[in-house]
Amino acid sequence: MILLGLDVGTTSVKAAVFDTELAQLSHGRAPTPWVGTELDPYALLDAALAAAAAALPSDASVAAIGVAGMAETGVLVGDDARPVVPSIAWHDPRGASEAARIALELPEFSERTGLPATTLCTLAKYAWMRAHWPDAARGTRWINIAEWIVQGLGGDRRAESSLASRTGFYDLHTGDPWEPALRWAGAPDGLAPPHVPAGTTLGRATHPRFEGAVLAVGGHDHLAAAVGAGAAGEGDVLDSCGTAEAILRATPPLPPDVVGRAVAEGFTVGWHAIAGRFVLQGAVWAGEALQAVCDLLGVPPEARDDLEAAALDADPGPLELRGLDDDTLTITGLTGGASPGALYRATLERIGADGASVLARMESLAGPAARLVVTGGWAEGVAAQAVKRRHLGAFEHDRQIFAGARGAAMAARRALRAD
């Protein structure tokens, strides 16, 4: 009996197969089929199936499937449960004017939803769709990406809590749809359905390859990774070093005034993929900056061991990287004799300092952290770990590449046991 975890991410859909003790047996992936910054939901379902096929032995019988996925991006469907418009990438800048109106016309938005009024939240995307795509008026239900995959396999039409809390449609403190936001957007009744925790049983698969497998949503991909890495207890912090270095702090529920302060400090607050917990989420654009420096130096990221070794002993001197949160990075202090290792070290130092600032501000809101777990591809280098330890203190290093898929499989196992 095996479990299948799917992690539907921005770059690829990752799949991993586990036994019931959660030992990983195999894995696979397929590219996320963007066309620009838009996505055909059915093409995404095909990509999920392709990733699963790449991971599964041909004769494997799957007992349960869990699906985690990116937030904010979703599928707007009509009464027939079919998409009425394409999906828009979470990072797409459309909706800027709608986001400005949210900030102006819904002054309680951040403390009620835990989100800043920006183009990232689903509410701004949905309002843009309604203003620019006539077919969006036929949409009666919003389905987050992981929920869409579960439903495509034959699962129930239910929302999952951690993904729901990234939409701007819900009140974090009551758990109900936040009616002022939905009225503001002209949303129909039922656009934001009741939600259930990650790991809730959502029926059984009807897809021929997985017929009878128990289905569950594993939640927001970052939070599923925290669960998969064992960093989802109250006070735990996961530092996930990907394109964006996501820093996640699990907390008990926070009151509205603290939520408002957290958003003003640059964080988001939502429901965790573990029932009864909130999560403070911050980010440092670490991987993106390290990729840019590797590109400048002509070093493929997968072949950066020598660069990491050089950076470990390098003195960056006056070299400094600026603009980590901007569209353009700036290198200052460049003098004769500067080495590739020194530039890479300067980048790591900037990232480490920003990460330490995130952790300090989290502690001011939620108290001291219990433990720190670091994972992700950009944390694998010797210099990266040494610099991170100097700035952040002691941490546990989790080397799983498929932590999100493991978290999804853990949700599947919970659903299987409850079925």
Side-chain angles (χ1 to χ4, degrees):
M1 185 167 66
I2 62 173
L3 307 170
L4 174 63
L6 295 171
D7 179 0
V8 186
T10 306
T11 303
S12 65
V13 182
K14 296 178 283 292
V17 177
F18 303 84
D19 64 22
T20 53
E21 299 304 311
L22 295 169
Q24 186 174 316
L25 306 176
S26 57
H27 62 264
R29 67 174 74 210
T32 304
W34 297 105
V35 177
T37 57
E38 294 180 4
L39 193 61
D40 176 350
Y42 289 111
L44 182 62
L45 178 58
D46 288 342
L49 293 170
L56 283 164
S58 59
D59 59 347
S61 177
V62 179
I65 303 171
V67 186
M70 56 185 146
E72 289 97 21
T73 298
V75 184
L76 182 61
V77 302
D79 289 338
D80 60 359
R82 297 180 63 84
V84 297
V85 293
S87 298
I88 297 177
W90 59 269
H91 53 81
D92 188 289
R94 282 177 282 189
S97 63
E98 287 78 8
R101 286 179 47 225
I102 291 170
L104 181 66
E105 298 169 19
L106 295 172
E108 290 186 281
F109 179 76
S110 290
E111 72 173 36
R112 302 317 304 182
T113 68
L115 303 171
T118 70
T119 57
L120 292 183
C121 77
T122 304
L123 184 66
K125 289 178 169 53
Y126 173 73
W128 185 92
M129 289 176 176
R130 289 294 304 270
H132 294 85
W133 286 342
D135 284 343
R138 297 190 289 110
T140 55
R141 182 91 169 246
W142 185 267
I143 302 174
N144 293 298
I145 287 298
E147 300 158 5
W148 168 256
I149 301 301
V150 165
Q151 291 171 37
L153 296 175
D156 299 342
R157 293 183 69 195
R158 301 175 78 179
E160 184 277 331
S161 301
S162 68
L163 290 165
S165 70
R166 301 293 299 187
T167 60
F169 295 162
Y170 295 86
D171 187 321
L172 281 182
H173 311 287
T174 67
D176 298 326
W178 192 45
E179 293 302 332
L182 296 169
R183 285 196 302 271
W184 174 87
D189 292 342
L191 184 81
H195 52 89
V196 296
T200 299
T201 303
L202 298 178
R204 289 180 175 268
T206 58
H207 187 279
R209 177 63 183 87
F210 307 109
E211 190 165 2
V214 169
L215 298 169
V217 174
H220 184 191
D221 51 5
H222 290 312
L223 305 183
V227 174
E234 286 187 9
D236 286 351
V237 178
L238 179 75
D239 181 357
S240 179
C241 303
T243 302
E245 183 171 339
I247 301 177
L248 314 170
R249 166 74 184 268
T251 73
L254 302 172
D257 64 316
V258 176
V259 170
R261 282 172 48 210
V263 177
E265 286 273 354
F267 300 118
T268 61
V269 185
W271 294 308
H272 208 297
I274 297 293
R277 283 178 205 155
F278 276 23
V279 61
L280 276 170
Q281 181 170 329
V284 178
W285 291 100
E288 191 172 58
L290 291 167
Q291 176 72 64
V293 170
C294 283
D295 290 346
L296 177 66
L297 298 174
V299 177
E302 65 276 9
R304 69 184 190 278
D305 288 353
D306 289 346
L307 183 60
E308 287 271 354
L312 183 63
D313 298 320
D315 178 1
L319 274 173
E320 186 176 351
L321 189 81
R322 297 180 181 176
L324 212 58
D325 295 327
D326 301 330
D327 291 335
T328 302
L329 296 170
T330 303
I331 300 166
T332 64
L334 183 63
T335 60
S339 68
L343 176 56
Y344 198 76
R345 177 63 179 256
T347 307
L348 292 173
E349 293 288 350
R350 176 72 270 158
I351 291 165
D354 284 10
S357 173
V358 169
L359 291 183
R361 287 182 285 123
M362 282 183 169
E363 290 204 355
S364 74
L365 293 162
R371 55 197 280 267
L372 172 64
V373 178
V374 174
T375 190
W378 287 108
E380 291 300 313
V382 290
Q385 291 185 34
V387 172
K388 192 172 288 292
R389 193 168 286 110
R390 191 168 76 80
H391 283 279
L392 308 186
F395 60 81
E396 301 168 34
H397 182 215
D398 187 296
R399 300 197 66 174
Q400 294 182 78
I401 298 173
F402 289 85
R406 187 172 193 269
M410 292 170 72
R413 187 173 68 168
R414 293 199 300 276
L416 179 64
R417 290 174 173 175
D419 184 59

